[in-house]
């Protein structure tokens, strides 16, 4: 289907499709996006699984993340090293989890990671404060923040330990009417950029070089 | 574990998506155990033990498990690398073992595989054809999902209209074009002579007269021959059936969609327990990509949080409530008044214009346009007025939107129905005229005086009709159209001349509807250009040289008004439904219109609109829109059905001319073209004898279903109540148990402590060097008791567990037992990176640690990615249990006053961790838990497990490092060997408990489970091997020669170890295998102790 591409082997594409919620084209587009982020690092030939990471500072410049208050957290929680450097695998993984067809539970598990700022596997008050600060751009008063944090813990903390474990979090978030609709859903605007890359390739002749590989 | 739940796993990706909720159980359970599975399989790859088992059932199950894994792997919270690896392995295994199965199974599998590939290809192909996907996503990413919901709704309507177009096109229009009589052959297909001259005038074309009127566009063109063409296509019958099918299809598709949506939003039953949580955790719309939208979203979140705080604070005070209620009442009165006022105004103006038309010969421009101007003003102002009023009510924005929608809908409907009434009035008069014409045909010829009066009376009836139409037209958009009056003039003028042809009221209705739709489109375009585009341009380019800030004050940029726009779509679709019967090409026209609208709107939104001030999230699948659409469909169907049932079809045009009623075509066909028996059957079926009971049955069914729904609702709320009370009880119980537990424990521990002093002393003598090394809390003195004390602890715990709810605890244990394999290494690496200073202190730990963990990086590479999400880690520190526990007890005497609270917190934390697992386990085995006592058991288990696990303390790293000492003791300190054995027993009991107890209730799962676990005892062996190679040797020499090997050596070995972890990506496979081989050879050389350990573990 479609024109022959030389970025991935068919097997790789198949595997990616099995492991994510994307179709073949999406994965190619994702690669294009990934490539776009750091053209000098990312190779156009992924058939030999090169190990390449793109740092967080580059990724959070993507339009999908730019306005997101939790962009650093999102990228960090998907990166294998925990510091926000994403390999292409992580990159696919991230968008797969954030895409609309990913199941609730999967999203919830990553959402928990996102809000767990200090990585202690609990959302404690300090995490909540950070969350609120990011969410509201620090516009809430001090006592408001304290009140909201207390309230959140009071509502969702089923075991009374003063912080939210994943079970608490999942329980709470699964009941949210908004959760599936658009929270934690994000679309890579793949198409336009893909087209621009094709044009670049044509102009610079890089496409020919990569297909020669 | 995976094979345990085959029903929950899906074969096809589509299904798997749909049943995500079912899969949840499975996929949530997997992460804990699967890695082990893989390690097993990996092992089997090497020694090929597994493959040698000739039990086809087993192989089949294995393959099945791998396939399930392949189908659901995308739903697991592992990193991609791990997923890819697991997938590759699963595929390999499937490939490898599939051949060993019987041939049929092989074929089956191949077929399934082929089908999967085909489905994927088809899916990849189909995705391309989802229209406007990218466009909508782009909008969504800029403006959030509220705006996007409009476009999704539009696209959905587009889909419906496509189907309607195909229906009418394929069954009515095309047959008529191909096989029907050509244009000009009959009187109903010919333009009257006196109109030919003006047939191509702009006016005529504009009012859909002339050639357009006598074309397939309208009802009147279709021939009345029962069968057309050589094949004998029954066009009239098809016409009628398709006309009905349009409604039926629309109803079905709408209801289906609504049902689907409500199923999706089932979980969101109004549960107000989480007001704040949702506002914090679910507030951000991740789709927002536009800075302005982000800004306003942040502001909206602040507002909503403040609102919630206020609500919280003012829950008790009710004085504001009264004010709000008053305000809301006032607001509703205002709305009602304005609605009534607008309707009155319309009628007043219409009445006035009629009078003017009758009395005046020449009308001024204002007088001609008066009605439409007034109406358009009303339709323009009223929604804004409603918005103002809505601000008074102070509802949540979402509620406000709904109120606004409802009110505008009522306004539109008022106008729509004025049109309908006017049209029906006209139809009525036409049919009367027709009969009169028939009766008085002779009189007409002889009494010329009658004609003017007739014409006049007709005129009288017409003018309201036409003004009604004007009302309607203006309504739709907010401007005026002149040509209608022209139609009015022409028709009435030519009344008696073309009596016969003009009597086609169906064509007339169709014309009006099509006209309406066209005008609506034009004004939509105009309003988009004027209100959005030019305003945007104006604001953008003149703001610099204006005396006030145009962008933030008066004109601003246009907002995208979701409510009005959605309503416009609904309204538009209503017109289509209303007119489709009389103008078969209307759906086709609507398709074009919607395409245009899609592009224009999306362009306008992206170029000249700003996001709504209060960005709120509307569900992508909004049932409210659909409910309005359904309402509209019903209301639009009514007049059409009424006209079909009530009025006589026109005499000289259309497929039903000459019949008494339109629906007679069906009975006629049945009578003439079906066999006699069928006829009689129909006769019986349509007789009251059958229909009345059928109706009765329907009512009974409805009542029955409704009562079922009611009872389900009741059960639902009951269950919710139960859950809530259970939760609070749980909390209490947990607290109580913990307090009780702490007290007893303290007592027992004190007594135990004495027993270890001896051992402690001996150990001290054995490890003098360590003594010197360690400076702070980690003094060997406190460490070694760790080891020894752990055992009695286990002893103590065990009886308790055995007596009560063995199942769950042993399960918990077995789970714990397994976690360490894949998470400890990450802990270890953390140790390295986080505590370089204290490294020396922990050297021993680390160096012996690998005893337990070293195997993982090599044996179990899948797991290395630590795909298990962070929260897993918390549950993994089990082996530490002993140590921590001991420390706890050690510390306790010193700070008794503090400890209960401390304990409490820890316990609860652990409980939280366990809770999830527990819950999942429960979910999984739910089908088997028909017996009621389980729930209470479950609770108890929770509590107990909580107690059991209360001593994990995942927070401090020192805990992590301590743990291994236990194992050191195992190898080196012979004195505490006995203790060790106890520990092993304990260990063993975990396994036993797991296999024997946990799976008993889940008998169905037992088989695969036991298979999966049966290699499990081999773990220690595998872990041992590499260990021996790198770590054990030094440690062994150390312990043997008492002098203890140099810390440098250890250091380097640890470094090496960590190195390996770091490089795991690259060397994973190769090093794993290499080291395994090496370690095997080393194992023989190595001491007996590890072997002992292995044996005891197995």
């Amino acid at each position: 289907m479609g024109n022959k591409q030389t970025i991935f082997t068919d097997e790789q594409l198949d595997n990616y499709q099995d492991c994510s919620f994307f179709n073949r084209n999406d994965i190619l587009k994702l690669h294009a996006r990934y490539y776009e982020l750091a053209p000098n690092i990312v190779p156009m030939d992924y058939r030999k699984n090169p190990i390449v990471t793109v740092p967080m500072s580059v990724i959070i410049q993507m339009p999908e993340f730019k306005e997101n208050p939790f962009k650093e957290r999102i990228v960090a929680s998907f990166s294998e090293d925990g510091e926000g450097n994403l390999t292409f695998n992580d990159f696919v993984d991230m968008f797969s989890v954030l895409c609309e067809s990913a199941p609730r539970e999967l999203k919830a598990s990553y959402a928990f990671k996102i809000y767990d700022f200090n990585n202690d596997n609990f959302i404690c008050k300090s995490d909540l404060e950070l969350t609120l600060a990011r969410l509201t751009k620090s516009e809430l008063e001090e006592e408001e923040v304290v009140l909201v944090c207390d309230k959140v813990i009071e509502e969702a903390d089923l075991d009374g330990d003063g912080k939210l474990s994943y079970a608490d979090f999942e329980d709470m978030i699964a009941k949210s009417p908004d959760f599936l609709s658009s929270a934690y859903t994000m679309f890579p605007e793949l198409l336009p950029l893909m087209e621009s890359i094709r044009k670049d390739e044509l102009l610079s002749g890089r496409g020919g070089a990569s297909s020669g590989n | 574990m995976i094979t345990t739940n085959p029903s929950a796993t899906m074969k096809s990706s589509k299904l798997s998506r749909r049943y995500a909720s079912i899969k949840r159980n499975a996929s949530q359970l997997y992460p804990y155990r699967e890695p082990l599975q893989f390690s097993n399989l990996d092992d089997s790859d090497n020694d090929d033990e597994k493959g040698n088992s000739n039990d086809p059932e087993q192989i089949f199950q294995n393959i099945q498990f791998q396939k399930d894994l392949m189908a659901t792997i995308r739903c697991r919270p592992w990193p991609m690398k791990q997923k890819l690896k697991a997938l590759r392995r699963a595929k390999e295994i499937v490939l490898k073992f599939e051949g060993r199965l019987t041939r049929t199974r092989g074929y089956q599998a191949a077929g399934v595989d082929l089908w999967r590939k085909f489905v994927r290809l088809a899916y990849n192909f189909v995705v391309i054809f989802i229209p406007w996907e990218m466009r909508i996503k782009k909008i969504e990413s800029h403006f959030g999902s509220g705006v996007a919901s409009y476009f999704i709704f539009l696209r959905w309507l587009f889909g419906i209209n496509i189907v309607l177009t195909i229906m009418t096109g394929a069954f009515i229009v095309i047959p008529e074009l191909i096989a029907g009589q050509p244009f000009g052959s009959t009187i109903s297909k010919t333009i009257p002579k006196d109109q030919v001259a003006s047939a191509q005038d702009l006016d005529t074309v504009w009012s859909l007269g002339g050639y357009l009127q006598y074309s397939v566009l309208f009802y009147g063109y279709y021939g009345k021959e029962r069968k057309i063409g050589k094949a004998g296509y029954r066009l009239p019958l098809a016409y009628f059936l398709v006309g009905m099918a349009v409604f039926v299809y629309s109803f079905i598709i709408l209801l289906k969609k609504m049902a689907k949506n409500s199923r999706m939003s089932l979980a969101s039953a109004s549960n107000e327990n989480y007001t704040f949580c949702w506002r914090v955790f679910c507030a951000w719309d991740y789709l927002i990509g536009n800075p302005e939208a982000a800004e306003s979203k942040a502001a909206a979140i602040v507002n909503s949080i403040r609102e919630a705080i206020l609500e919280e604070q003012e829950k008790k005070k009710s004085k504001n409530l009264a004010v709000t209620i008053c305000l809301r009442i006032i607001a509703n009165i205002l709305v009602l008044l304005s609605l009534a006022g607008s309707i009155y105004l319309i009628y007043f103006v219409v009445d006035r214009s009629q009078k003017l038309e009758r009395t005046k010969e020449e009308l001024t421009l204002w007088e001609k346009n008066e009605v439409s101007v007034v109406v358009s003003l009303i339709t323009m102002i009223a929604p804004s007025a409603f918005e103002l009023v809505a601000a008074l009510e102070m509802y949540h924005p979402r509620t406000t939107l709904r109120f606004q929608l409802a009110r505008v809908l009522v306004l539109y409907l008022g106008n729509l129905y004025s049109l309908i009434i006017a049209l029906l009035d006209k139809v009525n008069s036409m049919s009367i005229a027709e009969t009169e014409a028939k009766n008085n045909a002779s009189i007409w010829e002889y009494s010329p005086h009658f004609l003017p009066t007739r014409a006049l009376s007709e005129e009288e009836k017409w003018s309201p009709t036409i003004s009604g139409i004007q009302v309607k037209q203006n309504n739709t958009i907010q401007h005026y159209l002149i040509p209608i009056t022209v139609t009015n003039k022409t028709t009435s003028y030519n009344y008696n001349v073309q009596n016969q042809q003009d009597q086609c009221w169906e064509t007339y209705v169709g014309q009006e509807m099509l006209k309406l739709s066209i005008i609506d489109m034009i004004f939509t375009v105009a309003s988009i250009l004027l209100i959005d585009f030019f305003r945007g341009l104006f604001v953008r380019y003149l703001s610099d040289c204006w005396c006030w800030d145009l962008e933030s004050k008066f004109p601003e940029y246009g907002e995208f008004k979701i409510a009005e726009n959605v309503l416009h779509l609904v309204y538009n679709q209503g017109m289509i439904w209303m007119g489709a019967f009389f103008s078969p090409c209307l759906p086709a026209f609507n398709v074009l219109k919607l395409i245009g609208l899609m592009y224009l709107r999306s362009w306008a939104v992206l170029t000249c609109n700003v996001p709504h001030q209060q960005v709120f999230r509307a569900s992508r699948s909004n049932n409210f829109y659909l409910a309005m659409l359904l309402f509209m469909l019903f209301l639009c169907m009514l007049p059409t059905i009424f006209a079909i049932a009530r009025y006589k079809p026109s005499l000289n045009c259309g497929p039903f001319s000459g019949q008494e009623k339109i629906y007679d075509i069906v009975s006629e066909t049945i009578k003439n073209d079906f066999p006699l028996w069928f006829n009689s059957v129909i006769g019986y079926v349509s007789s009251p004898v059958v229909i009345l009971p059928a109706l009765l049955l329907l009512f009974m069914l409805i009542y029955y279903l409704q009562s079922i729904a009611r009872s389900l609702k009741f059960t639902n709320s009951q269950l919710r109540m139960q859950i809530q009370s259970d939760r609070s009880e749980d909390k209490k119980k947990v607290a109580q148990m913990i307090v009780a537990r702490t007290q007893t424990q303290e007592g027992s521990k004190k007594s135990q402590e004495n027993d270890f002093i001896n051992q402690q002393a001996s150990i001290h003598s054995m490890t003098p060097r360590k003594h010197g090394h360690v400076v702070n809390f980690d003094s060997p003195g406190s460490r070694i008791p760790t080891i020894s004390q752990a055992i009695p602890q286990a002893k103590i715990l065990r009886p308790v567990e055995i007596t009560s709810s063995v199942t769950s605890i042993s399960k918990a244990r077995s789970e714990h037992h397994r976690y360490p394999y894949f998470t400890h290494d990450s802990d270890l690496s953390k140790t390295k990176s986080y505590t370089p200073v204290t490294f020396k202190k922990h050297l021993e730990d680390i160096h012996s640690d690998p005893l337990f963990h070293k195997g993982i990086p090599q044996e179990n590479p899948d797991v290395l990615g630590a795909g298990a999400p962070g929260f897993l880690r918390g549950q993994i520190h089990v082996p530490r249990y002993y140590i921590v526990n001991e420390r706890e007890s050690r510390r306790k005497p010193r700070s008794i006053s503090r400890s209960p609270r401390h304990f409490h917190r820890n316990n609860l934390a652990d409980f939280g961790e366990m809770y999830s697992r527990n819950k999942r386990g429960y979910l999984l085995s739910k089908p088997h838990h028909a017996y009621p006592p389980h729930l209470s058991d479950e609770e108890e288990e929770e509590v107990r497990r909580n107690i059991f696990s209360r001593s994990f303390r995942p927070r401090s790293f020192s805990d992590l490092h301590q743990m291994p000492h236990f194992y050191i003791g195992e190898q080196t300190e012979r004195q505490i060997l006995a203790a060790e054995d106890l520990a092993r027993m304990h260990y063993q009991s975990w396994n036993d408990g797991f296999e024997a107890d946990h799976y008993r209730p889940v008998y169905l799962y037992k088989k695969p489970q036991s298979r999966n676990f049966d290699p499990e005892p081999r773990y220690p062996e595998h872990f041992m091997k590499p260990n021996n190679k790198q770590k054990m040797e030094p440690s062994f020499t150390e312990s043997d020669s008492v002098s203890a090997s140099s810390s440098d050596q250890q250091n380097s070995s640890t470094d090496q170890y960590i190195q390996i972890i770091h490089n795991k990506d690259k060397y994973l496979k190769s090093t794993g295998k290499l080291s395994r081989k090496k370690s095997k050879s080393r194992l023989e050389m190595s001491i007996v102790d590890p072997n002992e350990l292995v044996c005891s573990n197995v």
Side-chain angles (χ1 to χ4, degrees), chain B residues 705-913:
Chain B
L705 287 177
Q706 209 191 5
S707 58
I708 281 185
R710 222 180 301 140
S711 67
L712 280 179
K713 222 176 184 177
F714 180 71
T715 352
N716 210 354
S717 65
Q718 285 271 304
L719 281 174
R720 191 173 299 151
M721 293 258 287
Q722 199 182 335
I723 289 171
Q724 272 169 357
S725 66
D726 278 1
R727 256 184 216 156
S728 50
E729 257 174 48
D730 275 358
K731 274 190 203 174
K732 275 181 214 159
K733 255 190 194 172
V734 167
Q736 282 173 3
M737 293 294 278
I738 287 157
V739 171
R741 201 70 203 167
T742 344
Q743 283 164 357
T744 53
Q745 208 105 70
E746 269 170 38
S748 63
K749 267 174 197 162
K750 268 179 196 167
S751 64
Q752 286 157 26
E753 234 157 63
N754 298 329
D755 302 344
F756 306 117
I757 292 173
N758 294 334
Q759 287 179 349
Q760 210 173 314
S762 58
I763 291 154
H764 270 286
S765 61
M766 291 290 283
T767 58
R769 202 172 175 278
K770 283 176 194 166
H771 211 30
H773 255 283
V774 183
V775 190
N776 70 348
F777 189 73
D778 282 38
S779 79
S782 69
R783 253 192 253 158
I784 292 152
T786 301
I787 304 150
S788 42
Q789 185 148 13
I791 302 116
Q793 187 62 37
K795 254 185 189 166
I796 290 161
L797 271 170
R798 266 184 65 202
V800 179
E801 286 142 15
I802 286 161
T803 49
S804 61
S805 71
V806 184
T807 324
S808 67
I809 290 160
S810 49
K811 178 178 83 181
R813 280 178 184 176
S814 55
E815 274 167 337
H816 293 317
H817 173 47
R818 248 160 269 148
Y819 297 145
Y821 298 138
F822 60 101
T823 33
H824 272 243
D825 46 17
S826 62
D827 286 344
L828 206 72
S829 59
K830 245 193 228 166
T831 314
K832 163 75 175 158
S833 55
Y834 280 59
T835 58
V837 186
T838 53
F839 189 64
K840 271 197 177 176
K841 272 180 265 163
H842 307 303
L843 264 183
E844 296 94 342
D845 311 358
I846 290 159
H847 117 88
S848 59
D849 205 8
L851 234 201
F852 203 68
H853 308 298
K854 182 61 184 77
I856 300 124
Q858 291 146 350
E859 298 283 328
N860 199 1
D862 290 308
V863 164
L864 256 188
F871 55 85
L872 271 186
R873 261 180 220 157
Q875 303 163 349
I876 283 145
H877 307 270
V878 182
R880 251 166 280 142
Y881 163 57
Y882 305 101
I883 299 96
V884 183
N885 208 358
E886 183 277 332
R887 294 169 115 225
E888 215 74 2
S889 70
R890 275 232 124 200
R891 250 183 263 159
K892 221 159 284 149
R894 273 174 233 154
S895 58
I896 289 172
S897 61
R898 199 199 55 150
S899 59
R901 200 176 59 118
H902 183 66
F903 247 115
H904 182 79
R905 290 188 70 205
N906 279 342
N907 291 345
L908 287 178
D910 294 329
F911 172 55
E913 285 164 22

Side-chain angles (χ1 to χ4, degrees), chain B residues 243-244 247-248 251 413 416-417 420-421 423-424 505 509 513 573-582 629-647:
Chain B
M244 295 301 105
F247 290 120
V248 173
F251 259 117
L413 272 178
L416 192 69
Y417 259 74
I420 290 164
I421 289 162
L423 273 181
L424 291 184
W505 60 268
V509 173
M513 284 301 168
Q573 192 58 40
M575 289 189 305
I576 303 305
W577 279 322
M578 210 185 253
F581 188 79
F582 304 110
L629 198 65
L630 191 70
F631 186 54
M632 199 52 141
L633 173 59
F634 181 71
L635 287 181
C636 292
M637 202 182 70
L638 274 187
T640 311
I641 299 288
F642 179 73
I644 287 171
R646 168 81 173 72
Y647 295 112

Side-chain angles (χ1 to χ4, degrees), chain B residues 941-992:
Chain B
E941 282 161 23
E942 276 166 30
V943 172
R944 224 161 287 258
R945 204 181 310 168
N946 166 36
I947 287 149
F948 157 78
S949 60
R950 72 159 139 57
S951 36
F952 318 168
R953 213 182 42 176
R955 283 176 287 161
S956 73
F957 284 116
S958 58
D959 290 349
L960 309 191
H961 316 316
Q962 288 240 329
M963 165 205 46
H965 272 276
F966 176 47
Y967 299 97
I968 283 190
E970 245 175 318
Q971 298 152 36
T972 56
E973 261 73 53
R974 294 271 176 177
Q975 282 101 323
I976 48 162
L977 208 65
E980 243 184 273
D981 284 331
L982 277 173
R984 269 184 235 133
M985 264 173 66
H986 188 89
Y987 232 49
Q988 189 79 51
S989 78
W990 286 4
N991 285 334
D992 290 346

Side-chain angles (χ1 to χ4, degrees), chain A residues 15 18 23 121 182 184 189, chain B residues 91 120 124 141 281 617 870:
Chain A
N15 286 345
D18 274 329
N23 59 41
N121 302 324
S182 70
Y184 317 114
E189 290 172 47
Chain B
K91 280 184 177 168
R120 168 160 297 166
N124 280 347
S141 67
F281 292 122
R617 198 179 301 124

Side-chain angles (χ1 to χ4, degrees), chain B residues 358-590:
Chain B
R358 241 178 295 156
T359 50
K360 273 194 181 179
E361 278 300 305
E362 275 301 305
L363 297 170
T364 61
L365 190 69
W366 163 249
E367 280 164 343
K368 268 186 199 165
N369 301 344
E370 194 181 39
V371 175
S372 37
V373 169
V374 168
V375 169
S376 62
L377 274 178
I378 289 171
T379 44
M380 224 159 70
I381 292 167
S384 320
F386 292 162
E387 239 169 55
L388 280 179
V389 169
L392 207 75
E393 290 176 305
M394 295 185 296
Y395 279 121
H396 183 274
R398 203 173 298 152
T399 331
T400 313
L401 174 78
R402 295 199 171 177
F403 269 90
Q404 174 77 358
L405 279 172
R407 282 163 190 165
V408 179
L409 186 72
V410 169
L411 187 79
Y412 280 177
L413 272 178
N415 299 331
L416 192 69
Y417 259 74
S418 73
L419 168 82
I420 290 164
I421 289 162
L423 273 181
L424 291 184
D425 201 27
K426 154 91 177 156
V427 167
N428 213 3
S429 67
M430 271 183 166
S431 47
I432 289 167
E434 213 168 86
T435 40
E436 273 179 13
K438 244 190 195 168
N439 298 339
N440 304 331
S442 53
I443 302 168
W444 277 37
E445 282 179 45
Y446 298 111
S447 56
H449 294 293
F450 180 76
L451 220 59
T453 37
R454 270 296 312 158
L456 191 72
S457 67
E458 197 57 34
E459 177 96 47
E460 259 182 48
K461 278 170 187 163
W462 274 45
S463 37
T465 304
I466 281 154
S467 43
I469 291 151
Q470 285 168 351
V471 167
K472 167 68 176 168
Q473 282 160 349
N474 300 323
N475 260 333
T476 50
I477 322 103
Q478 301 118 8
H479 296 268
Y480 179 58
L481 189 83
I482 312 152
I484 309 261
T485 22
V486 179
T487 344
N488 177 10
K489 287 270 142 87
T490 18
T491 11
S492 54
Y493 182 69
N494 294 326
Y495 170 67
N496 51 9
V497 185
Q498 18 161 305
N499 179 14
Q500 292 216 309
Q501 280 173 350
D502 265 4
Q503 284 306 314
C504 200
W505 60 268
E506 293 95 340
T507 298
Y508 175 71
V509 173
Q511 261 176 318
E512 290 309 321
M513 284 301 168
L514 188 57
K515 237 183 271 175
L516 216 61
S517 199
I518 292 171
I519 292 155
D520 176 88
M521 184 176 74
I522 288 167
F523 282 105
T524 310
V525 172
S527 72
I528 288 174
L529 284 180
L530 266 178
I531 296 178
D532 290 326
F533 186 59
F534 288 116
R535 178 165 140 199
L537 282 182
F538 174 75
V539 172
R540 174 76 187 78
Y541 291 105
L542 289 183
S543 60
D544 294 336
C545 49
W546 209 260
C547 38
W548 68 81
D549 188 6
L550 283 173
E551 286 187 10
S552 61
K553 278 185 189 147
F554 169 57
E556 300 181 13
Y557 292 109
E559 270 178 7
F560 186 82
K561 286 177 180 153
I562 303 169
E564 278 84 348
N565 283 312
V566 164
L567 217 57
H568 175 238
L569 281 182
V570 169
Y571 180 65
N572 177 51
Q573 192 58 40
M575 289 189 305
I576 303 305
W577 279 322
M578 210 185 253
F581 188 79
F582 304 110
S583 170
C585 288
L586 208 54
F589 171 76
N590 198 36

Side-chain angles (χ1 to χ4, degrees), chain A residues 101-119:
Chain A
S101 29
R104 223 174 240 255
E105 298 73 29
L106 188 62
K107 288 184 185 217
S109 77
Y110 281 98
F112 184 80
K113 274 192 187 181
I114 289 170
Y115 294 122
D116 182 15
F117 282 79
N118 51 11
N119 295 325

